[in-house]
Amino acid sequence: MDTSFTEENYLKAIYHLSADESKQVNTNQIATVLNTKAASVTDMLKKLSGKNLINYERYQGVELTGLGKTIALKIIRKHRLWEYFLVEKLAFGWDEVHDLAEQLEHIQSTELTDRLDEFLGFPKYDPHGDPIPDQSGTIKCAEMKSIAVLKAGNAGIISGIKEHSSSFLQYLEKMDLKIGKKIAVEEIIPFDETVVLRTENGEKINVSKAAAKYILIQDEQL
Amino acid sequence: MDTSFTEENYLKAIYHLSADESKQVNTNQIATVLNTKAASVTDMLKKLSGKNLINYERYQGVELTGLGKTIALKIIRKHRLWEYFLVEKLAFGWDEVHDLAEQLEHIQSTELTDRLDEFLGFPKYDPHGDPIPDQSGTIKCAEMKSIAVLKAGNAGIISGIKEHSSSFLQYLEKMDLKIGKKIAVEEIIPFDETVVLRTENGEKINVSKAAAKYILIQDEQL
DNA sequence: TGTTATTTTTAGACTAATCTAAATTAAATA
DNA sequence: TATTTAATTTAGATTAGTCTAAAAATAACA
């Protein structure tokens, strides 16, 4: 199966949209995230449907087929491995690597992907805490919850984020909230639901409700 | 200046063709190396000319402008740095990396290129012995001569090749002729001009006239 | 349920890169 | 120099991906 740069971007977008909502994805949603027009999306959906990469019926939205999902996961695997490479080996900031990984993820070579994986020591998570699919496309799906739902006394490791805008990434940078950091919730201030976090070295960090929603923690990374 | 994937491939092809012959490059030559048709080349030449990347007059062949040469050298820099990465870090064979580097060379980011360069330790030569242009596009142009023109007693370091087909690369692999290897010409057998090489550890390697033409040596690598 | 609003699709056109086939120019040769 | 040959360019068509504007289907709501 031969997929173009553009087709791959559509598959990836559909994957991400259906992962968030785990159901049919709409034409307009796709148009929005890909910065294109609904008419263009419809054209591409017909093409992808013809290649058996998606199930599509007019006006009913789409979902990926098994094959489409496999391809999407391969691209996501490449994206996250390259992000890891850029941050760990080339010392890029985690807020700088997304656009580069968007280019690198389309390099065609399973051999290259697997050797890169090995070179990096088979990492399980990318710099944003997102899990990296393995060769077979399997994702280690750790339980993650937003710190906005925690109560005082709860603790865990910052493991992921639900918002990837560079303004949010820079906010995290400023607050010194990094993936892998161990934190505990000290209290939640009733007035505006500010979450007060305490780190291992005693540092205190105040996080607004708005930001807390987008920060995910889990009990222990494998 | 914004150049497409395809435009970049044309610029690179023109650069290589004019480096070999240091003069005007013909439409048909370009069509041959890019595996396309003369008519397509003509169209693209008009486009590149309009962008001031080449000097072009109908029926008279082309040459790169300063700007065109700068862009070509940037692509070649990226190509050779990625080849070095693939061989030195990911343990690919030097005969396996060309097609991958053809893809990677089009990744757009000066920052990435420069950081990769640093990560690799600012290598001067790629795995095939070709010089890697620096940030400013300058090439360290060491004197290299074919071992076919040497006489008995001459010595040097294998530094480059003039033929990049994978059959030739595999031949070199078999003969254990690697870039960086110190060799001396022991004798040239008059009958068929076979070149007898002696390596540092006393190994004797017989190279046919046909192969000798494509193997380059220099006195000392910097 | 009927009407309005929203979403999605179709129709037709555009750009970049390519092609084939025919026409033109330059080079080679008699 | 005239004629043949080879190289190059033009003309017109094709494909992938995109767009705008208009039509069709669905959803929302009075």
Side-chain angles (χ1 to χ4, degrees):
Chain A
M1 179 61 57
D2 215 59
T3 44
S4 74
F5 189 98
T6 312
E7 289 169 344
E8 291 187 353
N9 281 334
Y10 274 88
L11 292 176
K12 192 173 52 135
I14 295 167
Y15 180 88
H16 284 310
L17 287 169
S18 61
D20 285 358
E21 326 227 346
S22 77
K23 55 168 188 220
Q24 300 282 298
V25 177
N26 303 321
T27 304
N28 263 347
Q29 290 181 298
I30 299 171
T32 304
V33 304
L34 291 182
N35 247 313
T36 182
K37 297 297 150 70
S40 312
V41 175
T42 301
D43 288 345
M44 183 55 83
L45 294 184
K46 284 192 222 162
K47 199 180 161 200
L48 293 173
S49 180
K51 286 185 165 190
N52 280 307
L53 299 173
I54 59 174
N55 294 319
Y56 168 62
E57 263 182 291
R58 294 159 77 245
Y59 296 101
Q60 300 312 128
V62 290
E63 57 179 12
L64 294 174
T65 61
L67 183 54
K69 201 165 175 178
T70 300
I71 294 176
L73 281 166
K74 274 187 188 161
I75 302 159
I76 290 164
R77 169 169 159 79
K78 287 189 277 182
H79 183 101
R80 293 182 179 166
L81 283 172
W82 282 116
E83 283 202 342
Y84 190 94
F85 169 75
L86 293 169
V87 169
E88 295 299 320
K89 300 292 180 181
L90 301 195
F92 276 95
W94 71 333
D95 53 328
E96 305 173 311
V97 296
H98 190 265
D99 293 346
L100 280 171
E102 293 268 288
Q103 294 185 61
L104 288 160
E105 73 192 5
H106 299 289
I107 302 291
Q108 302 277 7
S109 166
T110 310
E111 184 73 21
L112 170 57
T113 309
D114 294 343
R115 284 195 191 214
L116 180 64
D117 196 10
E118 186 185 351
F119 175 65
L120 299 174
F122 303 105
K124 299 270 185 302
Y125 299 91
D126 80 4
H128 304 98
D130 295 314
I132 301 175
D134 67 15
Q135 274 189 48
S136 70
T138 312
I139 284 188
K140 278 261 170 300
C141 235
E143 282 299 322
M144 292 207 259
K145 39 195 169 184
S146 159
I147 63 174
V149 305
L150 300 181
K151 302 195 189 343
N154 289 358
I157 292 169
I158 300 181
S159 306
I161 53 181
K162 272 169 92 172
E163 161 70 33
H164 288 78
S165 68
S166 72
S167 66
F168 182 63
L169 293 174
Q170 279 157 23
Y171 165 86
L172 294 173
E173 203 69 52
K174 274 233 173 68
M175 293 300 206
D176 199 31
L177 290 164
K178 293 199 201 314
I179 298 287
K181 196 160 204 164
K182 215 175 227 172
I183 53 106
V185 177
E186 192 151 279
E187 64 172 313
I188 292 152
I189 300 173
F191 169 64
D192 60 357
E193 297 180 77
T194 288
V195 180
V196 181
L197 302 175
R198 175 77 65 178
T199 69
E200 273 192 302
N201 54 14
E203 195 187 356
K204 208 158 105 176
I205 305 173
N206 298 322
V207 176
S208 72
K209 169 87 170 176
K213 277 195 295 191
Y214 297 133
I215 301 171
L216 303 172
I217 70 158
Q218 67 183 65
D219 294 340
E220 195 67 49
Q221 273 191 9
L222 320 178
Chain B
M1 178 61 58
D2 214 57
T3 44
S4 72
F5 188 98
T6 312
E7 289 169 343
E8 291 186 354
N9 280 334
Y10 273 89
L11 292 175
K12 193 174 54 132
I14 295 167
Y15 179 88
H16 284 309
L17 287 169
S18 61
D20 285 356
E21 325 227 347
S22 77
K23 56 168 188 220
Q24 301 283 298
V25 176
N26 303 320
T27 304
N28 264 345
Q29 290 181 299
I30 300 171
T32 304
V33 304
L34 291 181
N35 247 312
T36 181
K37 295 296 150 70
S40 313
V41 175
T42 300
D43 288 346
M44 183 54 83
L45 294 183
K46 285 192 222 161
K47 197 179 163 201
L48 294 173
S49 180
K51 287 185 164 190
N52 280 307
L53 299 173
I54 60 172
N55 295 319
Y56 168 63
E57 265 183 289
R58 294 160 76 245
Y59 296 100
Q60 299 313 127
V62 290
E63 58 179 12
L64 295 173
T65 61
L67 182 54
K69 201 166 175 175
T70 301
I71 295 175
L73 281 165
K74 274 188 187 160
I75 301 158
I76 290 165
R77 170 169 160 78
K78 287 189 277 183
H79 182 102
R80 293 181 180 167
L81 283 172
W82 281 116
E83 284 203 340
Y84 190 95
F85 169 76
L86 293 170
V87 169
E88 295 299 320
K89 300 292 180 182
L90 299 195
F92 276 95
W94 71 332
D95 53 327
E96 305 174 310
V97 297
H98 190 265
D99 293 345
L100 280 171
E102 292 269 288
Q103 294 184 64
L104 289 160
E105 73 190 4
H106 299 289
I107 302 291
Q108 301 277 8
S109 167
T110 309
E111 184 73 20
L112 170 57
T113 309
D114 293 343
R115 285 196 191 214
L116 181 64
D117 196 10
E118 187 185 351
F119 175 65
L120 299 174
F122 303 107
K124 299 270 185 304
Y125 299 90
D126 79 4
H128 305 98
D130 295 314
I132 301 174
D134 68 16
Q135 274 189 50
S136 70
T138 311
I139 283 188
K140 279 261 169 302
C141 236
E143 283 298 324
M144 291 207 259
K145 39 194 167 183
S146 160
I147 62 174
V149 306
L150 300 181
K151 299 197 190 345
N154 288 359
I157 292 169
I158 299 180
S159 304
I161 52 181
K162 274 169 90 172
E163 161 68 34
H164 290 76
S165 67
S166 72
S167 65
F168 183 61
L169 294 174
Q170 279 157 22
Y171 165 86
L172 295 173
E173 204 68 53
K174 276 234 172 70
M175 292 300 208
D176 199 32
L177 291 165
K178 293 198 199 320
I179 298 288
K181 195 158 205 166
K182 215 175 226 170
I183 53 106
V185 176
E186 193 152 278
E187 65 171 312
I188 293 155
I189 300 176
F191 170 62
D192 59 356
E193 295 180 76
T194 290
V195 181
V196 181
L197 301 175
R198 175 77 64 178
T199 70
E200 274 192 302
N201 54 14
E203 196 187 354
K204 208 158 107 178
I205 304 174
N206 298 323
V207 176
S208 71
K209 170 85 170 180
K213 277 195 294 192
Y214 297 133
I215 302 170
L216 304 171
I217 70 158
Q218 66 183 65
D219 293 341
E220 195 67 47
Q221 275 192 7
L222 319 177

